[in-house]
Amino acid sequence: SPRALRAGVARSGAQLAAVRLSGKELGWRLEDGALVVSAPALDPGEYAVSIEFDACAPIVWRWQVRECPSAAFRDVSRGPWYHSAVDWAVENELMNGVASDRFAPQGDFTRAMLVTVLYRASGSPEAPAGCPFTDVAPDRWYSDAVAWAAREGIVNGMTPDRFAPDAPITREQLVTVLFRWAGDDGVRADLSAFPDAGSVARYARAATAWACG
């Protein structure tokens, strides 16, 4: 996959001639002042990349390859567009898999999953002892996150006493929760450009306009 090497590739009066990894020449190009190298998939470890010029000594760049954070998930290969996002979410401890070896990238994102991600992104603060929703048992993986989100006014529930933790979250529910969590910065988009703007629920209109702004 392409790798951008941005440090120390300039040499006065010299032209870049080749880039080699363990003696094997790699494809490369210059792009916006950066050297972009096409390198093969590599096992974790440190590699020496030799950046060679036509009229001076080469630069040796030490390339540290870390283990892919999502390597344990057999359903997350390197090719899909979401791979780097899964790596980021796992590495930053925002998300786990649905099993030790499965992430379920095409699975539904539930209401419990969303508040858990936001709870972790907020530093997993101390949660209140009780939860206002009767369908959230105290011993579930999302219990503290839901109790915290309810206390902070981030979620209200489907009814005053029901959260529906396993229900897939809708787009308007998603933006509303994000809006409450992030805080209102006053930015709004004109929703009239969307033909289905009239179907946005009243409670979600401000949040939807904010999310599109």
Side-chain angles (χ1 to χ4, degrees):
S1 57
R3 307 283 182 169
L5 316 182
R6 298 184 178 277
V9 297
R11 282 291 186 269
S12 178
Q15 295 294 320
L16 200 152
V19 179
R20 301 180 192 277
L21 173 64
S22 301
K24 182 178 179 180
E25 188 165 353
L26 304 177
W28 60 272
R29 70 182 186 275
L30 293 174
E31 184 177 286
D32 297 328
L35 173 61
V36 179
V37 177
S38 296
L42 298 169
D43 292 329
E46 186 175 271
Y47 297 84
V49 178
S50 177
I51 303 171
E52 300 175 5
F53 299 85
D54 63 354
C56 64
I59 297 171
V60 177
W61 188 75
R62 298 293 176 183
W63 190 1
Q64 187 70 38
V65 177
R66 296 180 299 169
E67 183 174 2
C68 175
S70 57
F73 302 126
R74 53 186 171 83
D75 57 354
V76 179
S77 61
R78 290 184 179 273
W81 55 268
Y82 52 76
H83 180 97
S84 60
V86 176
D87 280 351
W88 176 83
V90 172
E91 188 171 31
N92 287 280
E93 300 182 344
L94 299 181
M95 301 182 76
N96 303 318
V98 298
S100 61
D101 64 348
R102 195 165 66 89
F103 188 77
Q106 306 297 333
D108 288 333
F109 195 47
T110 67
R111 292 167 55 81
M113 290 176 181
L114 175 61
V115 295
T116 300
V117 168
L118 297 181
Y119 176 64
R120 292 170 179 167
S122 300
S124 300
E126 184 175 355
C131 181
F133 305 119
T134 58
D135 59 351
V136 177
D139 58 349
R140 300 305 304 274
W141 54 268
Y142 51 76
S143 302
D144 285 351
V146 176
W148 163 81
R151 180 189 66 192
E152 299 298 318
I154 297 170
V155 297
N156 294 328
M158 303 296 285
T159 68
D161 64 352
R162 191 172 70 88
F163 182 71
D166 296 322
I169 193 158
T170 67
R171 288 166 61 86
E172 65 181 10
Q173 290 172 358
L174 172 66
V175 296
T176 299
V177 173
L178 292 176
F179 179 60
R180 293 170 180 163
W181 175 73
D184 186 359
D185 58 6
V187 174
R188 298 289 189 275
D190 181 3
L191 297 180
S192 63
F194 299 100
D196 58 352
S199 65
V200 177
R202 182 180 297 275
Y203 78 86
R205 289 176 186 169
T208 304
W210 166 82
C212 294

